[in-house]
Amino acid sequence: MSSLRRLFNRVSGRPEEDYSSYNSMVKTPPPGRVTARDDPNHEIWKPQSFVGDQTAEGRIPFFNTGFAVCPKCGERNIWRFEEKAGVRANGDTYGTEIFRCRTKGCGWKTSFLYNDGTTSCKYYETSHWPKGVHYFPNSFMLMWADKHDLGSSIKHQFFLKKLTGNMLTDMEQEGSMEEKLEIKKKEVEKICRALKKPLTAVLTRKASKK
């Protein structure tokens, strides 16, 4: 609010506005009080909160996909939006980021607390979470196989055996992959190489070949 506007309000007896996103950037805005006029970006401001599925069974696999694939239906159809809780003096924001599956009939959702000022990890609650394909449900395994070009025969066995990530890593440790998946030794070696690749669990799309 400009100084001229404040002077006009004092003279006229009009109350000053409670919050303006332009002049109170270091303050946490009152929940539900920010209007389209106050914030032209139509940002949502709310206190940090936990929304939707907060179980390890749902959130750890979702985290391991790079927040890209629904752990309930296995579709890559995630909508995400931020609810800011406040802005620090240096301009970093913090709040809640909500993720929701837009697949018809699913509607799975969860949330993660975030802090833009955290150097190691924006979603600071996940900074020490376990990573790896070990945490993938069966619905993610075909996408994981696609990412690493494992071939149709391997994907067929993943589907047929209803394979999960922990089943696959257990087979690797036991040395029983060839027998249990009924695949050739060369295919076993291909899977083992994929398991050893950095960020093997993140189900990012491949760059398109030009």
Side-chain angles (χ1 to χ4, degrees), residues 3 32 38 44-45 48 80 86-88 114 136 166 179 181 190 192:
S3 56
D38 290 319
I44 300 171
W45 296 81
Q48 286 185 301
R80 56 199 291 173
V87 186
R88 305 195 190 282
Y114 76 86
F136 277 10
N166 66 319
E179 178 188 351
L181 290 181
K190 199 170 184 180
C192 291

Side-chain angles (χ1 to χ4, degrees), residues 30-198:
R33 299 294 292 275
V34 179
T35 66
R37 182 172 56 82
D38 290 319
D39 190 341
N41 297 318
H42 300 280
E43 293 177 327
I44 300 171
W45 296 81
K46 288 184 180 180
Q48 286 185 301
S49 60
F50 297 99
V51 177
D53 183 1
Q54 294 295 311
T55 65
E57 292 77 12
R59 300 211 305 158
I60 290 179
F62 181 60
F63 160 72
N64 269 278
T65 70
F67 308 97
V69 184
C70 174
K72 182 178 177 182
C73 70
E75 293 292 329
R76 192 190 297 272
N77 193 16
I78 300 295
W79 176 56
R80 56 199 291 173
F81 64 95
E82 292 180 353
E83 293 181 346
K84 294 183 179 179
V87 186
R88 305 195 190 282
N90 63 357
D92 290 332
T93 60
Y94 61 94
T96 308
E97 187 154 357
I98 297 174
F99 300 82
R100 181 170 189 144
C101 179
R102 295 189 295 179
T103 303
K104 187 175 180 180
C106 182
W108 181 84
K109 68 178 178 179
T110 190
S111 65
F112 290 84
L113 305 182
Y114 76 86
N115 183 351
D116 286 331
T118 306
T119 54
S120 59
C121 180
K122 174 183 176 180
Y123 307 101
Y124 53 87
E125 60 183 314
T126 70
S127 59
H128 299 293
W129 280 20
K131 296 178 182 178
V133 69
H134 177 83
Y135 298 93
F136 277 10
N138 175 252
S139 58
F140 288 179
M141 294 307 295
L142 293 182
M143 283 180 282
W144 181 81
D146 273 337
K147 178 186 174 181
H148 296 286
D149 296 316
L150 296 184
S152 57
S153 60
I154 293 176
K155 288 192 289 183
H156 176 71
Q157 290 301 320
F158 281 10
F159 174 78
L160 197 64
K161 309 291 185 185
K162 297 183 179 179
L163 197 77
T164 62
N166 66 319
M167 288 168 64
L168 184 64
T169 52
D170 285 349
M171 288 177 192
E172 182 196 26
Q173 291 172 3
E174 296 167 357
S176 61
M177 204 181 293
E178 186 176 353
E179 178 188 351
K180 290 186 176 179
L181 290 181
E182 301 174 31
I183 56 178
K184 298 176 182 177
K185 188 175 180 180
K186 285 186 178 180
E187 293 174 316
V188 171
E189 291 171 353
K190 199 170 184 180
I191 294 173
C192 291
R193 285 196 298 271
L195 288 170
K196 289 177 172 60
K197 288 182 180 179

